[in-house]
Amino acid sequence: MTDEEDGAGSASLADRRELLRAVAVRSLQQRRVEGELSTAHVRLVASSLGVSVRTLWRWLARAEQTGSVEPAPRARFEITDEVGEVLADCLGNVKRAHEELARRARAAGRRPPGLSTLHDAIRRDLTPGFMAGLREGVPAARGYDPAFKRPVVHRNEVWEADHQHAPLRVVLPDGSLSRVWVTWYEDRATSMVMGWAVTASSAHRDSVLAALRSAVLTGDDYGPAGGLPELVRIDGGADFVSKAVKDAFGALGVPLQRVYTPRHKGGVERLNRTAVSRFFADLPRYTKAPAPRSPPAGRAGRSAAGLRGVRGVAARVGRAAQHRGRRGAYGDDAA
């Protein structure tokens, strides 16, 4: 037998002993009540569990004394108020805190805790955010704050909607330049862009309704994502709280949840930031790009043959949205 096999066998024996301890002790207690308990019984059970006869008698005595057949909890080092104060004074430096705790324990005639014991207690009793706050201050602790982090949801349970100004200039049919707004819905479970609408000049309530139609319908022109959500999270924009939009969602039986800070609809806000920095950054007439010292070769040809108008931007948004999902492609169903 190899060392690994021997270790595996020892581990399985220990697990079996923990599982059978309560049953064995109760059986011995019942035999004692009935007056049938003998040393032979105890020796047989001890041999089966892999413990000594003395240990099994001790288990039986503890069960009769406390009424519990479970093992006694082991005493362990815990993070007390004193330990927390020492950690704070040492700015989260565990080694320095251990030296101070050891000095105090020796002065009081107590046995000092080991450094590994202190590390184990910190991992068990304190959070990473608490320790980060001791080392680097409150801003570092806020990075571990679960505030505004929402629970995991299933597909089409919650959508978030918003307008986003695309930093582009598009050519309208009359030859004039116009800015572009994108309205879209994002599924919070999969981060998939469910539907979108691209509007020249400025977005309005019709943009909200057009994007909703694109999000709900499925098929070659709109899918594969689609269906009805159980809830749509919006901000207080006038377009999203207009009567026409409320009536449309009401007819579909979809409630609207109005939130008052961007952090409460963090998914679509993150999509907005990603769109500005990545989706539109490689398109012609991107307004946030630094001005080049000299026009790059092929720029004019790209602008003429590339994405010129609102339809071109819509095509770009559509292709980007197809790659937005994080958990695999949607099926054709409208779940």
Side-chain angles (χ1 to χ4, degrees):
M1 179 182 294
T2 63
D3 293 340
E4 294 180 356
E5 293 173 345
D6 184 63
S10 300
S12 62
L13 178 60
D15 294 340
R16 184 166 60 89
R17 182 165 52 241
E18 291 299 324
L19 291 174
L20 297 179
R21 171 174 175 167
V23 177
V25 173
R26 288 195 186 98
S27 175
L28 293 177
Q29 283 183 306
Q30 183 64 29
R31 286 185 177 275
R32 171 168 283 180
V33 171
E34 296 173 356
E36 299 178 357
L37 181 64
S38 66
T39 304
H41 290 127
V42 176
R43 186 178 295 110
L44 175 62
V45 173
S47 176
S48 300
L49 296 181
V51 298
S52 66
V53 174
R54 182 177 179 181
T55 297
L56 194 55
W57 279 117
R58 187 171 64 251
W59 289 356
L60 185 58
R62 181 181 181 280
E64 293 181 347
Q65 181 180 2
T66 64
S68 173
V69 296
E70 300 298 330
R74 294 182 178 180
R76 65 182 186 181
F77 181 80
E78 296 182 353
I79 302 297
T80 61
D81 292 341
E82 178 187 6
V83 176
E85 292 174 358
V86 172
L87 281 170
D89 292 339
C90 297
L91 302 179
N93 188 314
V94 180
K95 185 175 181 179
R96 286 178 52 196
H98 173 259
E99 293 173 352
E100 175 62 20
L101 291 172
R103 185 190 63 79
R104 295 187 182 186
R106 286 191 292 267
R110 303 193 305 268
R111 181 181 178 182
L115 180 59
S116 60
T117 300
L118 180 58
H119 275 290
D120 291 342
I122 289 174
R123 283 192 294 266
R124 183 179 61 246
D125 298 337
L126 300 180
T127 64
F130 181 85
M131 295 302 296
L134 293 182
R135 295 186 180 110
E136 304 175 36
V138 174
R142 286 176 179 169
Y144 295 87
D145 192 351
F148 305 111
K149 292 184 180 179
R150 300 184 180 275
V152 177
V153 295
H154 60 74
R155 169 185 161 187
N156 282 352
E157 180 176 348
V158 178
W159 290 1
E160 292 180 355
D162 201 7
H163 296 308
Q164 174 59 34
H165 172 225
L168 302 170
R169 291 292 183 266
V170 298
V171 182
L172 297 181
D174 61 1
S176 61
L177 295 178
S178 175
R179 63 180 184 174
V180 178
W181 284 83
V182 179
T183 306
W184 41 26
Y185 294 84
E186 184 193 43
D187 179 42
R188 288 304 298 120
T190 61
S191 297
M192 182 77 176
V193 177
M194 305 299 297
W196 62 89
V198 180
T199 311
S201 183
S202 62
H204 42 76
R205 65 184 182 183
D206 290 341
S207 305
V208 179
L209 296 175
L212 176 62
R213 184 174 187 272
S214 173
V216 170
L217 297 180
T218 59
D220 296 337
D221 295 334
Y222 299 99
L228 287 177
E230 299 178 14
L231 176 72
V232 175
R233 197 175 291 135
I234 60 173
D235 57 20
D239 302 329
F240 288 98
V241 298
S242 64
K243 185 177 184 303
V245 172
K246 288 183 177 179
D247 290 345
F249 278 102
L252 295 174
V254 178
L256 294 174
Q257 180 187 29
R258 183 176 177 180
V259 298
Y260 296 92
T261 62
R263 290 180 294 180
H264 284 97
K265 54 182 182 67
V268 74
E269 294 291 343
R270 183 169 57 250
L271 172 62
N272 291 339
R273 294 191 298 270
T274 303
V276 170
S277 62
R278 298 187 62 182
F279 286 2
F280 308 123
D282 60 345
L283 292 179
R285 303 185 188 280
Y286 179 66
T287 59
K288 289 185 175 295
R293 296 182 180 179
S294 59
R299 181 74 178 192
R302 181 187 177 192
S303 298
L307 303 174
R308 291 177 56 85
V310 176
R311 291 186 178 181
V313 175
R316 169 66 176 177
V317 173
R319 287 196 298 270
Q322 297 301 324
H323 298 86
R324 176 66 179 166
R326 295 179 182 169
R327 300 187 181 179
Y330 277 72
D332 293 334
D333 59 300

